[in-house]
Amino acid sequence: MLESRRRSSRLILQIVLTVLVIPFVLPLVAMVQGSLAGAGWGNYVAVLSVPELPLFFRNSALIAVATIVIVYVFTMLAAFGFAKLHIRGKSFYFWLLIAALTLPEVVLLTPLFATMTSLNLYNTYWAVILPLSALQLPFTVLLARNFIDGIPDELIEAARIDGASTAAGFWYIVLPLTRPIGAAIIVFTLLGAWNDYLLPLVFLVDPSTQTITQLPQFFVGQFSNDQTKVLASAVITALPEVVAYLCLQRLFERGLSAGALK
Amino acid sequence: MTISSRAAEQTPITRPDDDRAQEGGAARRRSFRRPSGYAWILPALVFSVGLLYYSVGYTGYISTLIWNGTAPDVTHVGLANYAKAFSDPVFWLTLQHTAISFVVTFSISTVLGFVFAALLHSRPWFGGLYKVALFVPVVLAPAIMAPVFRQIFANDGQFNWLLTHVGLGSLAQPWLAQSGTALAVILAITIWGGTGVSFILYFAAMGQLDPELLEAAELDGAGNIRRLASIIWPNVRGTTLALATLSAIGALKTFDIPYLVTVGGPNFATEFLGTLIYRTSIPLGAVGYGAALSILLLVIALAMAIVLNAGRNKRGARTDA
Amino acid sequence: MFGIRSGRRSAKSLAAALIVAGLAAGALAGCSSSGGSNSTDSATKGSITWWGWTPEIGVGKQYIAAFNKVYPNIKVTYKQVATASYDAAIRPALASSVGPDVFNIAPGGGIGSIAAYQGSALDLTPVVTKALGSGWKSKVAAIGPAGLTTSSGKLAALAVGSTFAGSVWINPDMFSKYGLTPPKTFGDWVKVCSAFASHGVTCFEQGAGDPGFNMDLLHSIADSIKPGVWSKAAAGTVKWTDPTLVQAMTVFKSMFSNGIIQKGAVGVQQYPDVNNDFLAGKTAMVMMGTWYMQYSTLAGATAAVSAAGVANAKPFPMVSIPFPDVTGAGNPAPLFGDADYGLAVNTKSKHPKAAETFVTWLGTNTAAQQVVANSLNDISALSSVSPKWSDVTLVDPSTQQSTLQSLIGRASKITEPRLGDLSTALGQAMGVATASVAAGNATPVQALTTLQSSAKG
């Protein structure tokens, strides 16, 4: 992108880059440092030996996986519909969906409580999964629609001339091509579901259904606050997300590069 | 993924397409290249639009009540909650903070994201490491990072320590304690967590640029700065506009960072609509007033979405022509 | 939903996919149902849940273990909810049919406010009368039922213990290191703080970003000038613009400019910031209440110092001192408090009798109250019980035990509420008033005038 034929200019680029990236790294260093203060690795031992940890982990994973499945399936169907099929008043429906991007969770707490209670879903995982998915869908549909838009019509038409149905075209042609944007959808949905604090707190009553975001609570009392273990739990909570991102990084970047957002 | 593949085994999707004509008719033939897609968008619409719009409608109803959210006794007050909002100085303050937040975080994140993308496309050593360092902040929940930032910007925190050690000790101050600087800290944290997204989108967009374009510029003898400004920047305009929309929405939805880092303080200096709605609805139990504030937030968001979209279409039309 | 286009393969495969998703989902829902037993309610058998923001999980489990020695067939599950999130979680839970059987409430308008949740609480008068006899009120600390009885006379919750504020805690090691003595007057206080400052040490740290602790400080100053005015203002019989309160607010303001309160206090929270700095030996004095007694024990202090991020934690023998006499009026050092929390029984509980057994046991049983007293977190609700010092290992009994005893002795006679007489809205307005003065955005008179007008409206 930038011209750096000479070694010296390349070095200058590298230095500029490093200086600029330092402010982004320092808070991460402070976090790890804080988690090792006081009892040192003992903080991690203490967090890992919270008896409920595996349970919280499982619950969070369950919610994340279910949310990802719903979001992925609904997003792909809708994005294909919006990008490649005939719908009268398409932009109206699209905007109806996209406008929901602006809804913050905190606005929805009271109405969602009424809804979940009347559907008998309060205190089930659904009370968390459904709103999470509904809030995630507008963004992922936007991403995926733009991506599928970029798939040449000819590819799908070729399949249709061969006698395949729309569904087959979707299944055999579109879906395999959307793996990169699928990775992006998975990463964004995982972040949303895994990091969510408010919905599990309000809608899951049972102590056995608590999620990983409640973990720091074990080290914060009314009149006590063990910051070192809070930070250690933060690191442990964040690890699966970082790992998931690293695993999907390549696909993720490709997904966003095919003109996902423009 | 596994669910979809199991579905495929159960459904014979390769059967010849023979029953199409009976439901198609003339309309179908006319749009042969575009079969109807209602069934495809229906699940998402029913689900997302259904649940969320129902909630919005319900919120609209609650906004005409004085109610604590669960008690059986409600008082109908019409539009009084809206009148209260318009005469509440804190409400106007939150709008001001939202506007500042949008302008500042959008411009700084955009410039940084753009510069990082350009630098990382210039094949530096260890590029992958830099990318991870920029994106990990996006991954971490504000709830995780809030205590860390509170520590960093405390009076005896690392930031002041750093200032003192690079000879800028006179600038050291209690950042979170002053109305004037607390908002700046909140914005800095937002930028820290958001630049990764700007970067990754610009990085992707620059990867799509026509190499010939850049070569032409090189033959032209354009310098690096000029090349960035007059060739690359105009060509990633689509990404910039998308980021503007996302930042605007993000600014309106701001909740976690000010709530967890400064609790909206000191003295409402970092109060945003989200924190005001939460504080009103939950600890104060004034769900009706909170609902009225929520509806105002949605109206503003929609108005902004329409304005941004109109601007975008106009620009799009111009470049396409 | 997909019937419209059922003739189409696309729709079929969609439907199939969704059915599979639905099946997976059904399995999910199965995991979450708690499956409470529907057996008839019994006072000695059952499974109940208890929600609270306090005690800490470990302490809660300790209480339950002791309870189960007497009532092995009542299974109690304790869920601690973050203080800041308690109201968000408990309100819908109580409105639902699956809420906790036992839940914490507190006097006043703060977290778990009795005003907000009294409708969900059973009247506990009959069970406490049964447990302690008709003269039960003389057997428990008066401050308990005072704050937990509704205006209609219902005992909404049973206090487990009380906490009192108004005391100042010091790190004696830091005082002796610099040859200083704890302040008794305002003048002393300024001098001590400038001496600490000359050594580059923080003297007194206050989390002025935390409205509740600002109120404690202001309340103490007001009581030291003229006892009782604060309570009258809270009750509405004296205006917040009363000269005593203006003077108190002026003293409060001056503490930010004369070097008593640390720089940048408005951006600091009492928890975790101030707490950690004090425990880590970075500041010599803090304003904390009787709940700080728990850090006098060797185990409590060691864990707390380590939690504040100090490697190889060495506990120090902290002691409380009376609040300095800020105007030289010679009034007794202020102390004011409430039931720390009370246990309420949910009207929708499916096991109210078992829940009542647990609540009554923790609030009125001598053995249970001994556990509460010995933990030194709360001052026990049962008047006859006090900490058994032979069972408590202090960091330095020679300096600490007598001050602890005198603090507990003073506290047990106090009837002046800390939060019990402040409504949610008044608490909020107080927070604004103290924060605006602390940040220098309003004069004491301006802030109190605003407070008075919002208290009226």
Side-chain angles (χ1 to χ4, degrees):
Chain A
M1 201 62 30
L2 298 176
E3 200 41 51
S4 55
R5 292 265 162 86
R6 273 168 300 144
R7 209 179 158 76
S8 64
S9 64
R10 202 172 164 197
L11 207 62
I12 291 172
L13 280 186
Q14 192 81 29
I15 290 169
V16 171
L17 180 61
T18 309
V19 168
L20 282 177
V21 96
I22 282 176
F24 288 85
V25 177
L26 280 185
L28 302 174
V29 174
M31 167 170 155
V32 175
Q33 209 179 23
S35 75
L36 287 171
W41 290 103
N43 294 325
Y44 283 90
V45 175
V47 175
L48 290 173
S49 54
V50 168
E52 287 85 352
L53 182 69
L55 185 70
F56 288 2
F57 209 89
R58 190 207 70 174
N59 294 343
S60 279
L62 209 63
I63 290 173
V65 168
T67 309
I68 288 172
V69 168
I70 293 180
V71 168
Y72 183 82
V73 171
F74 285 15
T75 299
M76 285 307 169
L77 295 177
F80 181 62
F82 279 125
K84 295 293 179 200
L85 300 178
H86 171 76
I87 297 166
R88 200 168 291 130
K90 185 188 273 186
S91 59
F92 169 75
Y93 292 119
F94 189 67
W95 275 97
L96 207 59
L97 191 64
I98 297 306
L101 257 181
T102 57
L103 286 173
E105 226 175 38
V106 39
V107 166
L108 298 171
L109 278 186
T110 312
L112 280 179
F113 173 67
T115 315
M116 292 307 158
T117 313
S118 62
L119 292 175
N120 258 331
L121 292 178
Y122 179 75
N123 196 28
T124 69
Y125 290 120
W126 288 114
V128 176
I129 295 167
L130 297 183
L132 270 178
S133 315
L135 283 166
Q136 196 69 37
L137 265 171
F139 181 61
T140 52
V141 169
L142 178 67
L143 283 180
R145 186 204 63 159
N146 290 350
F147 187 94
I148 296 178
D149 247 351
I151 298 176
D153 284 352
E154 291 75 24
L155 271 179
I156 300 163
E157 267 164 40
R160 291 168 52 71
I161 288 162
D162 287 349
S165 69
T166 312
F170 171 72
W171 189 261
Y172 290 110
I173 312 281
V174 177
L175 262 192
L177 289 173
T178 55
R179 278 181 56 220
I181 198 69
I185 291 171
I186 290 173
V187 168
F188 281 119
T189 310
L190 174 72
L191 295 186
W194 192 266
N195 289 342
D196 195 47
Y197 175 78
L198 218 46
L199 291 172
L201 174 83
V202 175
F203 293 124
L204 293 176
V205 174
D206 243 297
S208 65
T209 56
Q210 300 305 289
T211 58
I212 195 96
T213 41
Q214 306 282 331
L215 187 59
Q217 186 49 35
F218 277 75
F219 308 101
V220 180
Q222 183 191 13
F223 295 126
S224 66
N225 195 319
D226 190 337
Q227 278 301 294
T228 59
K229 295 189 183 62
V230 167
L231 291 179
S233 3
V235 173
I236 289 174
T237 309
L239 272 183
E241 299 175 293
V242 176
V243 169
Y245 165 67
L246 290 179
C247 291
L248 293 173
Q249 192 189 8
R250 261 167 213 290
L251 273 179
F252 177 79
E253 276 172 24
R254 261 208 288 147
L256 293 181
S257 64
L261 265 185
K262 59 178 176 188
Chain B
M1 294 250 219
T2 50
I3 284 172
S4 318
S5 59
R6 247 190 293 168
E9 286 159 26
Q10 288 160 6
T11 322
I13 48 172
T14 47
R15 228 170 42 178
D17 196 15
D18 54 1
D19 53 355
R20 162 142 303 174
Q22 78 187 49
E23 67 165 292
R28 173 143 304 280
R29 195 132 306 138
R30 224 185 317 125
S31 62
F32 173 76
R33 300 173 59 191
R34 302 260 164 190
S36 175
Y38 286 107
W40 294 77
I41 63 165
L42 202 61
L45 277 184
V46 167
F47 186 63
S48 221
V49 174
L51 188 64
L52 300 177
Y53 282 60
Y54 168 76
S55 292
V56 171
Y58 189 80
T59 305
Y61 165 68
I62 303 174
S63 72
T64 63
L65 307 174
I66 288 184
W67 186 39
N68 79 1
T70 51
D73 51 316
V74 298
T75 317
H76 294 266
V77 293
L79 295 177
N81 283 325
Y82 291 92
K84 187 177 167 191
F86 289 124
S87 62
D88 184 348
V90 178
F91 170 69
W92 295 107
L93 205 57
T94 62
L95 292 190
Q96 206 181 319
H97 296 157
T98 306
I100 295 173
S101 170
F102 167 59
V103 172
V104 173
T105 56
F106 169 62
S107 26
I108 297 182
S109 282
T110 303
V111 170
L112 279 177
F114 181 78
V115 169
F116 275 124
L119 286 169
L120 281 164
H121 262 303
S122 313
R123 290 183 304 276
W125 292 288
F126 309 113
L129 272 183
Y130 289 93
K131 271 196 238 169
V132 172
L134 284 172
F135 204 75
V136 165
V138 179
V139 171
L140 298 175
I144 290 176
M145 292 310 294
V148 181
F149 279 108
R150 291 177 46 73
Q151 162 76 53
I152 290 174
F153 288 103
N155 198 30
D156 60 351
Q158 287 97 323
F159 190 65
N160 278 343
W161 180 89
L162 199 73
L163 287 178
T164 319
H165 282 74
V166 296
L168 295 170
S170 56
L171 287 180
Q173 50 193 305
W175 296 93
L176 291 171
Q178 309 166 131
S179 302
T181 51
L183 186 62
V185 172
I186 297 296
L187 300 184
I189 301 173
T190 312
I191 291 166
W192 181 81
T195 299
V197 173
S198 316
F199 154 70
I200 210 111
L201 290 175
Y202 277 125
F203 187 78
M206 286 181 195
Q208 301 292 299
L209 291 183
D210 190 351
E212 282 177 25
L213 198 72
L214 298 168
E215 275 165 31
E218 199 177 314
L219 291 178
D220 224 19
N224 274 335
I225 303 285
R226 227 189 94 198
R227 191 167 8 181
L228 274 181
S230 56
I231 313 260
I232 302 175
W233 177 252
N235 274 294
V236 294
R237 176 171 272 160
T239 306
T240 310
L241 288 169
L243 283 171
T245 314
L246 287 181
S247 303
I249 291 170
L252 274 171
K253 287 166 101 163
T254 306
F255 169 68
D256 309 46
I257 295 173
Y259 180 70
L260 294 163
V261 175
T262 52
V263 211
N267 221 4
F268 303 117
T270 54
E271 192 84 274
F272 281 78
L273 266 173
T275 56
L276 180 62
I277 291 170
Y278 184 83
R279 207 162 45 78
T280 311
S281 312
I282 309 288
L284 288 179
V287 168
Y289 185 45
L293 291 169
S294 305
I295 295 291
L296 290 173
L297 189 160
L298 297 182
V299 169
I300 296 166
L302 264 164
M304 213 175 52
I306 290 168
V307 168
L308 280 172
N309 189 52
R312 200 166 157 185
N313 282 348
K314 219 191 289 167
R315 198 174 299 251
R318 216 186 301 142
T319 42
D320 287 351
Chain C
M1 184 152 68
F2 296 92
I4 327 166
R5 307 244 166 222
S6 57
R8 297 250 316 270
R9 231 122 289 119
S10 55
K12 268 194 202 160
S13 64
L14 293 187
L18 288 166
I19 287 165
V20 177
L23 287 177
L28 260 171
C31 303
S32 65
S33 65
S34 60
S37 73
N38 287 324
S39 60
T40 46
D41 188 31
S42 147
T44 54
K45 222 174 101 182
S47 178
I48 58 171
T49 51
W50 165 28
W51 285 23
W53 64 92
T54 188
E56 283 165 50
I57 290 170
V59 179
K61 284 183 176 165
Q62 216 179 311
Y63 292 165
I64 292 166
F67 173 71
N68 280 341
K69 280 185 194 146
V70 194
Y71 296 97
N73 294 324
I74 299 182
K75 183 175 177 281
V76 186
T77 313
Y78 175 53
K79 171 169 153 182
Q80 192 198 2
V81 184
T83 312
S85 318
Y86 186 74
D87 288 296
I90 194 85
R91 209 190 293 268
L94 291 177
S96 78
S97 59
V98 289
D101 302 281
V102 176
F103 61 101
N104 284 15
I105 62 176
I111 169 187
S113 162
I114 179 174
Y117 307 116
Q118 52 175 287
S120 295
L122 288 174
D123 187 5
L124 294 175
T125 315
V127 288
V128 71
T129 311
K130 201 171 144 204
L132 294 175
S134 56
W136 65 273
K137 276 197 175 168
S138 62
K139 293 181 183 165
V140 299
I143 207 134
L148 295 171
T149 307
T150 66
S151 49
S152 59
K154 173 165 93 176
L155 182 64
L158 210 53
V160 172
S162 328
T163 49
F164 297 82
S167 52
V168 172
W169 289 79
I170 64 162
N171 181 337
D173 293 353
M174 290 174 75
F175 275 89
S176 59
K177 182 174 176 190
Y178 300 109
L180 298 167
T181 46
K184 289 199 175 62
T185 66
F186 205 59
D188 284 354
W189 207 348
V190 176
K191 266 185 236 149
V192 163
C193 283
S194 72
F196 272 120
S198 68
H199 296 289
V201 174
T202 312
C203 168
F204 174 75
E205 197 174 328
Q206 172 76 9
D210 212 327
F213 291 94
N214 279 344
M215 288 194 304
D216 282 350
L217 182 53
L218 188 61
H219 190 166
S220 299
I221 299 170
D223 271 6
S224 137
I225 298 169
K226 198 170 168 192
V229 179
W230 175 280
S231 294
K232 283 184 193 144
T237 54
V238 157
K239 283 193 175 159
W240 287 103
T241 46
D242 182 274
T244 304
L245 297 169
V246 173
Q247 193 187 351
M249 193 63 113
T250 311
V251 171
F252 174 77
K253 184 181 168 66
S254 72
M255 293 175 75
F256 287 88
S257 50
N258 66 12
I260 292 184
I261 292 177
Q262 88 283 9
K263 214 178 143 195
V266 184
V268 171
Q269 303 285 324
Q270 196 82 350
Y271 283 93
D273 309 337
V274 173
N275 179 52
N276 282 354
D277 282 353
F278 181 69
L279 291 165
K282 289 182 192 159
T283 182
M285 306 164 78
V286 286
M287 180 147 189
M288 294 281 195
T290 54
W291 59 87
Y292 238 50
M293 298 189 304
Q294 60 183 310
Y295 303 135
S296 308
T297 66
L298 191 59
T302 311
V305 172
S306 161
V310 180
N312 306 317
K314 259 200 224 110
F316 59 91
M318 62 178 77
V319 289
S320 74
I321 58 165
F323 191 80
D325 186 357
V326 290
T327 54
N331 291 313
L335 216 52
F336 38 88
D338 299 297
D340 182 15
Y341 63 103
L343 296 180
V345 176
N346 187 350
T347 46
K348 290 182 183 160
S349 166
K350 292 185 183 73
H351 306 279
K353 291 226 172 69
E356 282 173 352
T357 304
F358 176 66
V359 168
T360 319
W361 180 82
L362 197 51
T364 65
N365 181 282
T366 316
Q369 283 286 303
Q370 192 66 57
V371 179
V372 173
N374 286 3
S375 74
L376 291 180
N377 184 15
D378 286 344
I379 290 173
S380 54
L382 210 56
S383 311
S384 58
V385 174
S386 57
K388 212 170 178 186
W389 297 107
S390 56
D391 291 348
V392 179
T393 313
L394 297 175
V395 179
D396 179 13
S398 65
T399 56
Q400 289 178 301
Q401 189 175 325
S402 60
T403 41
L404 285 172
Q405 275 168 320
S406 88
L407 184 64
I408 294 172
R410 272 169 62 213
S412 60
K413 294 188 198 75
I414 298 294
T415 53
E416 182 173 336
R418 177 180 176 223
L419 304 167
D421 50 1
L422 293 176
S423 69
T424 309
L426 189 55
Q428 181 100 17
M430 286 290 320
V432 173
T434 49
S436 59
V437 169
N441 297 340
T443 66
V445 176
Q446 281 168 347
L448 288 168
T449 311
T450 313
L451 174 60
Q452 177 60 29
S453 65
S454 54
K456 260 201 326 221

